[in-house]
Amino acid sequence: MLVEDHIKHNKRLTVFICGFMAFLFLLVISSFGYLYFGNIYISIIFGLPVALVYIAITYSFSVKTVLSAAKARPANSLVREEKLLMYKVEEMAIAAGLPTPKVYVQESDNINAFATGKKPEEAVICATTGAIRKLKIDELEGVLAHEMSHIKNHDILIATVTIGVVGAISLISEIVFYSMFWGGAGRGRKNEGNAIIMVLAIVLIILAPIFSRLTYLAISRKREYLADSNGAYLTRNPEGLAKALEKIKNDMPQGKPKGSKTVAPLYIANPFKRQSTNSIWSTHPPINERIKRLRSM
Amino acid sequence: MSLLLTIGIVIIVVVIMFFLIFWGYYNRIIRLENRIENSWGQIDVQLKRRADLIPNLLESVKGYMAHEKETLENVTKARSALMNAKTPQDNIDADNMLTGALKSLFAVSEAYPDLKANQNFLQLQDELTHTEDKISYARQHFNDSVLSFNNIVETIPGIWFAKRMNKSTKEMIQIPVENREVPQVKF
């Protein structure tokens, strides 16, 4: 497949999975309304704004949260290695046609990098000192191009929104669960309604948190493939990123990985696990599969 | 009566649809054209920056490389070609000449250990390599922008609107083959 086809294919799949997530969310809210008010519209009218406000709040604090969780500091242009990192970030921004993001550095022996930022105009790219020291320039360029693609694709927004929706769904599910335990469900219902629909609604609300979590992880993995192929398109050199991923795979982390688990889905490769199998519970696709796809471009 | 009404509504809907599609394509074509202009501006800025760095570089190597007259002269010549270039392609050609001249200057500098240890020279070398990379990525972005513009104005239905707007395909910047490789700088 051509790089362009990879990009199109990954984009289509993400849109499809995001659509499924939205559908699931509406379904859960409607079931909630049906169980409590006997009317699905009331909960849609009240549920949607609450979810949107929740997402907006997490979104507006996302950059600060991420940077402090990763204990990152701004890059120092007096150190040659970090200046070359800033140079490379600027080059990638030019290739992508975006404003140059701020460059941060995280003290860590592991090879890793992440991007964050609400808009491409105020984005941040952070690389570990391990990445700066251990990667050759074309490999570092591949990694930075991958991060730049996350910025260009608005992946931070998509990640925040999906995490928000997952949170809202589990909250609704918990409310229903506890109120059923106390025998509160159905209090507000005027008619007895259809028993089958009611059972279905309860089952849906119980299963929804698991489904939404899995959908979120699927979106996260698809976005990684998309950023890989977009990054390869920016550098015109898929081999650079492939070699960097190979290095990350062979580079076993020294000691405990730094940073919190919140940041894990943002990194180029998950710092907490060296997974090689294709698990539905992982935030990133298996590294071998990513290398294979890059080399097939 | 109701038949006439139906036909009337259909015509109005079709006209509105046509207007909306035209609106969309008009804005898209103009936006892409502006993007091309903007990415050319980006290249231009980097070319100027590069030309500005050359005198400093020559100044810092002068003391060490007095015997490499030809190499230094080639750099000066390429720089003045770049300063005098008018068309985009002229600019790019002059820049390629400069890239070649600088490459041999940096190759020759390997033979001067004193120069290699000079912080000022090292910094200039880093920065010149950086501008060179920026120029090649800016060129790539320029060509990407031209490609998306050309794809719109050459395919249906974009071509119909482009004709009415007097827009036709634009030229890409030709990049010599040896310049496409990723520059290898060790650090």
Side-chain angles (χ1 to χ4, degrees):
Chain A
M1 257 200 286
L2 284 171
V3 181
E4 286 90 336
D5 296 329
H6 270 281
I7 295 173
K8 257 187 216 152
H9 176 76
N10 288 323
K11 249 188 204 160
R12 262 203 303 268
L13 274 173
T14 327
V15 169
F16 178 73
I17 303 172
C18 285
F20 179 73
M21 183 77 126
F23 175 69
L24 196 65
F25 183 58
L26 278 180
L27 218 59
V28 167
I29 284 201
S30 314
S31 315
F32 183 73
Y34 183 80
L35 285 176
Y36 279 85
F37 309 106
N39 183 345
I40 61 173
Y41 299 108
I42 291 179
S43 61
I44 288 181
I45 289 167
F46 288 106
L48 270 185
V50 170
L52 287 179
V53 166
Y54 174 71
I55 289 165
I57 291 173
T58 16
Y59 181 56
S60 55
F61 286 110
S62 59
V63 176
K64 264 188 198 160
T65 319
V66 166
L67 283 179
S68 62
K71 299 193 181 71
R73 58 166 173 82
N76 180 357
S77 64
L78 295 176
V79 180
R80 180 159 183 260
E81 289 172 339
E82 293 181 16
K83 196 167 91 181
L84 291 181
L85 172 73
M86 292 162 92
Y87 279 174
K88 277 291 150 203
V89 169
E90 195 186 347
E91 286 162 23
M92 286 304 111
I94 288 175
L98 295 175
T100 310
K102 288 197 204 98
V103 184
Y104 276 69
V105 173
Q106 182 192 358
E107 299 285 346
S108 160
D109 271 344
N110 305 321
I111 305 175
N112 234 325
F114 67 85
T116 180
K118 279 167 258 169
K119 284 181 286 182
E121 289 75 25
E122 41 191 71
V124 171
I125 283 189
C126 177
T128 59
T129 42
I132 303 171
R133 269 186 287 111
K134 292 176 191 164
L135 294 180
K136 287 215 191 88
I137 200 82
D138 59 325
E139 296 162 353
L140 185 63
E141 199 176 55
V143 169
L144 295 176
H146 170 102
E147 299 307 333
M148 196 61 73
S149 310
H150 273 314
I151 296 173
K152 196 174 186 177
N153 297 337
H154 294 272
D155 281 350
I156 310 305
L157 175 63
I158 289 170
T160 324
V161 170
T162 44
I163 290 172
V165 172
V166 170
I169 287 178
S170 2
L171 188 72
I172 291 173
S173 155
E174 243 160 71
I175 292 173
V176 173
F177 199 76
Y178 279 108
S179 64
M180 278 200 319
F181 188 74
W182 296 107
R187 189 183 293 149
R189 281 160 38 73
K190 288 185 186 78
N191 51 10
E192 279 308 296
N194 193 327
I196 297 172
I197 294 182
M198 215 172 123
V199 170
L200 275 181
I202 293 173
V203 169
L204 180 91
I205 280 188
I206 290 169
L207 289 181
I210 304 165
F211 273 132
S212 65
R213 182 102 197 112
L214 287 176
T215 324
Y216 160 68
L217 291 167
I219 292 172
S220 166
R221 288 193 298 266
K222 281 295 161 213
R223 304 304 291 182
E224 288 306 316
Y225 281 133
L226 181 61
D228 278 353
S229 39
N230 270 321
Y233 186 75
L234 285 186
T235 57
R236 304 287 199 268
N237 178 22
E239 189 56 28
L241 181 55
K243 275 194 294 184
L245 287 175
E246 228 160 38
K247 265 195 190 167
I248 293 170
K249 191 181 75 178
N250 298 328
D251 183 78
M252 290 307 275
Q254 308 286 315
K256 220 172 135 251
K258 232 175 158 186
S260 71
K261 289 216 174 199
T262 347
V263 197
L266 293 178
Y267 282 105
I268 187 158
N270 193 331
F272 294 97
K273 270 185 273 172
R274 304 278 133 183
Q275 85 260 21
S276 53
T277 48
N278 201 347
S279 159
I280 49 168
W281 294 106
S282 44
T283 53
H284 284 63
I287 217 159
N288 285 330
E289 178 62 23
R290 289 170 69 186
I291 295 172
K292 206 178 91 195
R293 289 196 189 189
L294 280 166
R295 296 221 156 115
S296 74
M297 285 177 192
Chain B
M1 188 55 198
S2 76
L3 184 71
L4 270 178
L5 196 70
T6 323
I7 291 174
I9 289 172
V10 166
I11 288 175
I12 290 171
V13 166
V14 166
V15 166
I16 290 176
M17 287 245 302
F18 178 81
F19 177 74
L20 285 179
I21 293 172
F22 179 74
W23 187 5
Y25 270 90
Y26 181 87
N27 284 350
R28 230 165 124 193
I29 288 172
I30 297 292
R31 236 176 250 137
L32 284 172
E33 205 176 29
N34 288 344
R35 205 171 94 187
I36 294 173
E37 229 162 76
N38 180 43
S39 45
W40 172 254
Q42 182 70 257
I43 300 176
D44 213 31
V45 168
Q46 302 306 337
L47 290 175
K48 293 237 160 54
R49 172 88 190 118
R50 200 168 188 208
D52 290 346
L53 284 170
I54 299 293
N56 295 339
L57 177 78
L58 292 178
E59 194 61 35
S60 75
V61 301
K62 210 170 55 183
Y64 303 90
M65 294 171 78
H67 303 298
E68 314 284 354
K69 241 191 185 144
E70 205 188 332
T71 321
L72 297 182
E73 256 168 30
N74 280 339
V75 174
T76 320
K77 235 186 277 171
R79 179 181 180 260
S80 53
L82 181 58
M83 302 287 275
N84 295 327
K86 294 276 181 298
T87 66
Q89 193 63 49
D90 274 1
N91 261 305
I92 293 300
D93 290 343
D95 181 60
N96 287 333
M97 217 165 103
L98 186 58
T99 305
L102 283 175
K103 211 178 262 171
S104 49
L105 189 147
F106 290 137
V108 168
S109 76
E110 297 287 328
Y112 297 85
D114 290 353
L115 182 58
K116 290 286 285 177
N118 183 325
Q119 280 303 313
N120 195 25
F121 173 73
L122 277 179
Q123 255 181 28
L124 279 168
Q125 189 177 10
D126 279 349
E127 197 163 345
L128 276 163
T129 321
H130 172 50
T131 11
E132 188 177 318
D133 291 353
K134 279 201 281 189
I135 290 167
S136 67
Y137 280 119
R139 265 192 321 213
Q140 180 184 305
H141 183 63
F142 178 87
N143 283 350
D144 284 350
S145 312
V146 170
L147 180 67
S148 18
F149 179 82
N150 287 353
N151 281 343
I152 290 281
V153 302
E154 268 187 322
T155 53
I156 292 171
I159 190 166
W160 300 328
F161 303 113
K163 271 201 183 130
R164 263 160 207 78
M165 293 163 70
N166 276 327
K167 305 280 183 210
S168 56
T169 57
K170 290 186 188 293
E171 284 275 317
M172 288 197 189
I173 297 172
Q174 303 300 320
I175 304 172
V177 179
E178 73 267 20
N179 275 36
R180 272 184 214 148
E181 357 176 305
V182 183
Q184 292 284 331
V185 180
K186 297 238 167 72
F187 70 93

